Amino acid sequence: GQQVMQIPQYQHVQEGEDFTTYCNSSTTLSNIQWYKQRPGGHPVFLIQLVKSGEVKKQKRLTFQFGEAKKNSSLHITATQTTDVGTYFCAQQRPGTYKYIFGTGTRLKVLA
Amino acid sequence: DAGVIQSPRHEVTEMGQEVTLRCKPISGHDYLFWYRQTMMRGLELLIYFNNNVPIDDSGMPEDRFSAKMPNASFSTLKIQPSEPRDSAVYFCASSYLGQGGEQYFGPGTRLTVT
């Protein structure tokens, strides 16, 4: 099936370090969503980006949508152990309500 | 609201048996999605409904899989006959377009086919 690449696949950081995950598409997107899944849990919605070049912040999390609406990033400043989990982007296919989830980036935070 | 409800939470069955997974979406939501998650293939969209009507089932693996939504508060995903490669976590999610499309996921059903 279709897959959206996210990089990196895994990231281990020391608590207090920053973390960034990237989501790329070969096509222009309608919008992009980000989700977090804790180990053993289910995906939980974080944010949706719609506009070209959009930047949104949620406390230590910063989300960006590329100018061409083909890529996005999630940056976490000063990671904490509560940030552990897998972060997914989800891309909406234009003209549909179908979302394709990225491969995910698994974040481990070492105390 | 209790959120999206899925049952059972765990299912262990033998190859060849029929499996039925159930989902109750959040009241008032007009979209319902079925996803499958495995280590190898990640989180895959199987099918989604809008106002109880299937819109896109292109992600359904094969004819052994079928999904229904008889009313706004209930959906099923059936696998018949089941095979070991169907082992995965199956998530149901719902959303309301008027709220911008945020998807609310259920806790998932962990299916093991032996």
Side-chain angles (χ1 to χ4, degrees), chain B residues 45-47 56-63 65-67 77-78:
Chain B
L45 176 65
L46 300 177
I47 185 171
D56 188 331
D57 65 355
S58 59
M60 296 286 260
E62 47 198 272
D63 292 345
F65 285 67
S66 62
L77 178 67
K78 186 178 292 187

Side-chain angles (χ1 to χ4, degrees), chain A residues 10-80:
Chain A
Y10 300 97
Q11 184 86 59
H12 294 182
V13 299
Q14 287 291 138
E15 190 173 20
E17 291 181 341
D18 292 356
F19 159 77
T20 305
T21 173
Y22 299 90
C23 179
N24 298 310
S25 169
S26 57
T27 59
T28 302
L29 304 170
S30 302
N31 63 62
I32 195 161
Q33 297 178 341
W34 285 92
Y35 291 79
K36 176 184 178 181
Q37 184 177 22
R38 293 182 187 274
H42 58 275
V44 175
F45 176 83
L46 295 175
I47 209 152
Q48 177 165 281
L49 304 171
V50 179
K51 299 175 184 175
S52 168
E54 190 169 17
V55 178
K56 287 189 176 180
K57 293 191 176 186
Q58 287 179 351
K59 297 183 181 178
R60 294 177 296 103
L61 277 61
T62 301
F63 304 84
Q64 287 190 302
F65 203 6
E67 292 290 339
K69 299 182 74 172
K70 289 186 176 181
N71 53 68
S72 181
S73 64
L74 158 58
H75 179 81
I76 303 178
T77 304
T79 54
Q80 299 176 358

Side-chain angles (χ1 to χ4, degrees), chain B residues 72-86:
Chain B
S73 58
F74 184 64
S75 178
T76 59
L77 178 67
K78 186 178 292 187
I79 309 172
Q80 164 66 16
S82 58
E83 296 183 3
R85 60 190 168 125
D86 301 331

Side-chain angles (χ1 to χ4, degrees), chain A residues 68-108:
Chain A
K69 299 182 74 172
K70 289 186 176 181
N71 53 68
S72 181
S73 64
L74 158 58
H75 179 81
I76 303 178
T77 304
T79 54
Q80 299 176 358
T81 54
T82 53
D83 296 325
V84 165
T86 301
Y87 293 84
F88 293 96
C89 63
Q91 300 179 350
Q92 184 180 15
R93 290 293 181 252
T96 78
Y97 205 65
K98 181 174 178 174
Y99 281 86
I100 305 300
F101 276 73
T103 48
T105 296
R106 184 177 294 180
L107 174 64
K108 207 168 196 177

